[in-house]
Amino acid sequence: MPSRVPRPRTRIPNSSHNRRAESAIRQQAEHEKQVATRREKINTALSLLATALALPALAIGLLTYFDQKNNEEDANKKEAARVSYFWQIDAGEGWEAPSKDLAVENRGLNPATNVVIAANPKFGKHMIFDLGTISACTRVLIELGEHGAEIDKVTSRLKYGMYFTSSTGQIWFNGERAGMERRNEYPRLDTDFINFWKLEYRTESLEACA
């Protein structure tokens, strides 16, 4: 009688063990998800904190920049304001007296270039006094002589204005009614009274310049 060979037993998986393993895997995945979420929140909070800390510095930087720009503009305007002009008349004859001299002063410490005294245009022209460059701390006196009354007839003294370029390369206009203001360019210029009438002028040194 042949001997029996024992048949191998089929191991039935332990369903309870499998459930515990799956539960552990889910818990691990959930834990990792929570950790990732916490890290993301921490990174977001750090980013917001860095931005919040940077904003005051940025604001201070912008304020400093604009303060410097304003200070620079103020300094440029103060320098430009040291260049001026005025008409001289015989005091004994009153305001209606004809112009005697045209005086242009530069009380600054830098030369003013392309200095032009220009009348408001008539027929599209600017009749001018072209003085070129006026050195620092200098007055230029243009002797109008008999032409003073003729100039006054062309246009009122109040309708003249002075254009010049400062040491910073900026073009300025100083009108008796407009005050000192920046301009982008010179107007179209026409007859130069100095050359046309061969007017004489002299220069004088000034004191108390700054």
Side-chain angles (χ1 to χ4, degrees):
M1 184 174 184
S3 60
R4 289 186 175 181
V5 178
R7 299 176 66 183
R9 293 183 178 180
T10 302
R11 189 180 182 115
I12 300 175
N14 190 328
S15 59
S16 176
H17 175 76
N18 290 343
R19 285 195 298 271
R20 286 196 299 271
E22 292 174 356
S23 177
I25 292 172
R26 285 196 299 270
Q27 289 178 0
Q28 180 64 24
E30 184 65 26
H31 174 71
E32 291 178 355
K33 183 178 179 181
Q34 291 175 356
V35 170
T37 301
R38 284 197 296 269
R39 285 177 179 172
E40 184 177 353
K41 290 181 178 179
I42 291 172
N43 290 336
T44 301
L46 291 175
S47 178
L48 291 174
L49 178 61
T51 302
L53 293 175
L55 284 176
L58 177 61
I60 292 172
L62 288 174
L63 289 174
T64 302
Y65 170 77
F66 285 117
D67 283 344
Q68 290 175 346
K69 290 291 289 183
N70 290 335
N71 291 338
E72 182 180 341
E73 284 295 322
D74 290 343
N76 291 340
K77 193 167 187 176
K78 286 180 181 178
E79 178 185 344
R82 296 187 177 101
V83 183
S84 61
Y85 77 101
F86 54 91
W87 303 93
Q88 291 186 336
I89 60 176
D90 286 327
E93 299 184 34
W95 176 249
E96 296 299 325
S99 300
K100 178 183 177 183
D101 299 309
L102 172 59
V104 183
E105 292 185 347
N106 179 8
R107 292 188 173 274
L109 300 179
N110 298 299
T113 59
N114 301 320
V115 181
V116 173
I117 309 296
N120 276 357
K122 284 199 173 186
F123 311 110
K125 299 179 180 179
H126 284 74
M127 288 160 287
I128 66 168
F129 297 89
D130 187 351
L131 291 96
T133 298
I134 298 182
S135 302
C137 210
T138 299
R139 176 192 292 128
V140 175
L141 278 172
I142 303 171
E143 300 173 4
L144 303 177
E146 62 183 8
H147 299 294
E150 188 171 352
I151 291 172
D152 293 342
K153 288 179 182 178
V154 171
T155 183
S156 165
R157 287 188 288 262
L158 292 177
K159 293 183 180 180
Y160 281 83
M162 177 176 60
Y163 294 84
F164 66 95
T165 302
S166 65
S167 62
T168 60
Q170 297 171 324
I171 298 173
W172 293 90
F173 172 75
N174 183 6
E176 294 190 24
R177 291 178 176 174
M180 187 70 68
E181 58 186 20
R182 289 272 303 277
R183 292 293 173 91
N184 294 324
E185 59 185 6
Y186 282 75
R188 186 170 69 88
L189 306 177
D190 197 72
T191 305
D192 177 11
F193 286 135
I194 296 177
N195 289 328
F196 185 74
W197 283 319
K198 295 180 171 46
L199 299 178
E200 295 183 357
Y201 61 90
R202 64 184 185 275
T203 60
E204 301 174 350
S205 296
L206 299 172
E207 297 180 355
C209 298

